[in-house]
Amino acid sequence: MILDPEQLYKIANLAKLEIAEDTVQPLVEDLSRILSMVEQLNGVETEAVWPMAHPLNATQRLRQDRVTEPDKRTELQSIAPAVEDALYLVPKVIE
Amino acid sequence: MQWESVIGLEVHVQLSTQSKIFSGASTAYGASANSQACAIDLGLPGVLPVLNEEAVNKAIKFGLAIDAQIADRSVFARKNYFYPDLPKGYQISQFELPIVGRGQLTILLENGTKKTIGVTRAHLEEDAGKSIHDKFAQYTGIDLNRAGTPLLEIVSEPDLRSAQEAVAYLKKLHGLVRYLDISDGNMQEGSFRCDANVSVRPQGQAEFGTRAEVKNINSFRFVEKAINFEVERQIDLIEAGGVVVQETRLYDADRDETRSMRSKEEANDYRYFPDPDLLPLEISANQIASIRGTLPELPDAKRIRFQQQYGLSESDAAQITDSKEMADVFEQILSLGSKDAKLVANWLLGEVTAYLNKYSQEVQNAPIDAKLLAGLFIRIEDKTLSIKMAKEVFASIWSGEGTADEIIDAKGLKQVTDVSALEALVTQVLTDNSAQVEQYRAGTTKVLGFLVGQVMKLSKGQANPQMVNQMLKDKLDV
């Protein structure tokens, strides 16, 4: 499978990555090679195989519905870059 | 051209658990910002989500109530998008294998017919936090208390054909989650939120038109207005030669319009994949059976019972059983000595509902209760009060002046039903109004109303109008 630069930009945008222009071609080539390698899986007969959601052959353990976490806001906010009135601050985002 | 609207709803219901879906932080509403957001909710490195048993049970309960298949194996997936109130950069949701499969809900339309609306699926997911845009000039503030609150997203088939049908479906769903006690359903607090997929097509056309998704609809009234606006917008657009584009639109209640959220467009590629932090969820037949045993009487069953047991019409029974609280009050009133089920139903759907709407209150926290209402209805049934007097007494009960009997005593509001007392009044009115009596006997029978009015006036409103009417007729017709 060959990835084109337009697809690369789309993926980068979805992942919020900035791509320098001179890295576009090498990235397209690398990613295309990775995709080709993974593409071999398309040749495997999977008709009778259950899709695997997880590599461990186990099922989800459940938690009792109890409040077990105390308020650690002060501690948690001490590592945040910007906090005011107990809110985490981020650059203005508005629809 | 005749247009038909096609609507499907996605409803997000916050499940009323104590703790979050993947962490042990509290879900209580209204706490100080970020005091209920732990390391897991914040998506700090190295943390692992552990699924809340009660969220699973509540989802199963809902699935059983809409006759849906409960998946014996379901999978959690990551829905990837960037927004500051989603700290991990993905929302844990379900995609290919949701916990609740196809089910259905029957709604009663205004013309009295029933319509079955398909529910495509319902899946478990976590809520995001809240962005506060208007508090700081330079920044957006983030409160993550809501992050990780369990949600059940209920997706309907595009089976709805009008805003009215959409509201009927939404009310039915709202009543159901309250009956099941899986959510408090509080729309102001965001416990029950709705997005609508809306498209239009020429009447008779089989294919669907292009749909727009309308977000941010948080009351029953807005659902109707938002859908009607969007339908009109699409029809106008097509009739003017334009085309509807598939997009997300935001409903603005202040302006009563929808507008495009362009930023959502390019991001509409969520790259779902199974969450490696969570194992597949298996649900045993035993577990389903034991939850089935806890289901309460559901609205449809209750409606049928109310029709049979109390002789209510289908429409009255449906309106009363829409809300569990109203249905409970109805039955409590009848167990407290009031005997006329039809009268109780009329009052609950009439005067009581009018007051609840006027004061924006729910029956469970209104200043009236089953006991106060039963006391009032008993006095209507034993003819102490006329309907007019009863309304006056009801208003006084509502404003906290006491029980019906206390108010009747205090205001001297007793309907006169004593025949000899009424005879005297009737005779006097007939003597005083000989002109009208002659008119009546000459065939102008409509003056009877005037004469009844005179007797009522003379009795200061306390005569029983039905009795006065009959007595006047008896005397005039001889």
Side-chain angles (χ1 to χ4, degrees), chain A residues 10 14 16 54 59-60 62-63 65-69 71 73 76-77 85-86 88-90 92-93 95, chain B residues 18-20 23-24 32-34 42 50-53 82 133 135-136 140 142 263 269 276 279-280 282:
Chain A
K10 189 184 172 207
L14 288 169
K16 302 285 178 233
H54 200 280
T59 56
Q60 182 63 37
L62 301 177
R63 218 187 74 237
D65 180 28
R66 280 202 331 235
V67 176
T68 52
E69 293 283 349
D71 174 11
R73 181 172 68 196
L76 291 167
Q77 296 202 328
D85 287 352
Y88 295 96
L89 298 187
V90 298
K92 194 114 186 156
V93 275
E95 287 298 343
Chain B
Q18 301 296 309
S19 64
K20 294 193 175 168
S23 85
S32 157
N34 290 305
L42 262 53
V50 187
L51 184 57
N52 184 336
E53 172 179 49
F82 284 104
H133 299 295
K135 191 171 169 132
F136 309 101
T140 291
I142 306 290
S263 60
D269 183 347
L279 290 154
E282 283 194 357

Side-chain angles (χ1 to χ4, degrees), chain B residues 253-451:
Chain B
D254 294 333
R255 296 186 190 178
D256 187 24
E257 63 176 28
T258 66
R259 59 170 184 270
S260 183
M261 291 170 76
R262 280 183 193 85
S263 60
K264 281 260 174 189
E265 290 324 289
E266 58 189 24
N268 239 347
D269 183 347
Y270 295 122
R271 295 147 294 144
Y272 284 95
F273 64 89
D275 191 326
D277 286 346
L278 288 155
L279 290 154
L281 171 65
E282 283 194 357
I283 296 165
S284 69
N286 274 345
Q287 195 181 348
I288 293 173
S290 86
I291 291 172
R292 196 186 290 278
T294 69
L295 287 181
E297 182 183 33
L298 296 175
D300 288 340
K302 205 184 272 281
R303 188 199 78 232
I304 292 166
R305 180 167 69 79
F306 275 25
Q307 286 176 252
Q308 290 167 350
Q309 187 174 340
Y310 302 116
L312 299 187
S313 70
E314 183 173 50
S315 152
D316 284 359
Q319 286 182 69
I320 287 189
T321 56
D322 260 357
S323 138
K324 178 174 188 295
E325 288 75 16
M326 192 60 100
D328 287 349
V329 166
F330 174 81
E331 291 206 289
Q332 282 159 17
I333 291 170
L334 291 173
S335 73
L336 286 167
S338 185
K339 299 218 162 34
D340 187 344
K342 185 74 194 147
L343 175 124
V344 175
N346 283 342
W347 270 81
L348 288 181
L349 296 174
E351 204 74 356
V352 175
T353 301
Y355 270 67
L356 291 173
N357 291 342
K358 187 172 165 194
Y359 295 101
S360 302
Q361 278 187 314
E362 305 283 336
V363 70
Q364 61 272 28
N365 43 35
I368 41 101
D369 61 21
K371 208 170 163 197
L372 288 166
L373 288 173
L376 173 65
F377 300 155
I378 288 167
R379 291 295 162 252
I380 302 173
E381 288 164 16
D382 72 10
K383 301 207 170 3
T384 303
L385 295 175
S386 66
I387 295 299
K388 190 160 171 280
M389 291 162 138
K391 287 189 175 172
E392 193 180 331
V393 174
F394 176 76
S396 300
I397 296 175
W398 185 280
S399 44
E401 290 170 35
T403 65
D405 283 347
E406 285 163 4
I407 292 159
I408 289 167
D409 276 350
K411 299 198 174 182
L413 283 171
K414 259 199 166 83
Q415 183 169 240
V416 180
T417 53
D418 175 56
V419 176
S420 58
L422 291 175
E423 281 267 359
L425 298 173
V426 167
T427 308
Q428 190 183 335
V429 166
L430 291 177
T431 318
D432 292 351
N433 298 280
S434 49
Q436 282 78 7
V437 172
E438 268 172 44
Q439 280 176 24
Y440 181 92
R441 290 193 170 134
T444 316
T445 51
K446 66 174 189 226
V447 297
L448 182 65
F450 168 81
L451 295 168

Side-chain angles (χ1 to χ4, degrees), chain A residues 74-85:
Chain A
T74 313
E75 224 175 315
L76 291 167
Q77 296 202 328
S78 68
I79 53 167
V83 171
E84 200 175 320
D85 287 352

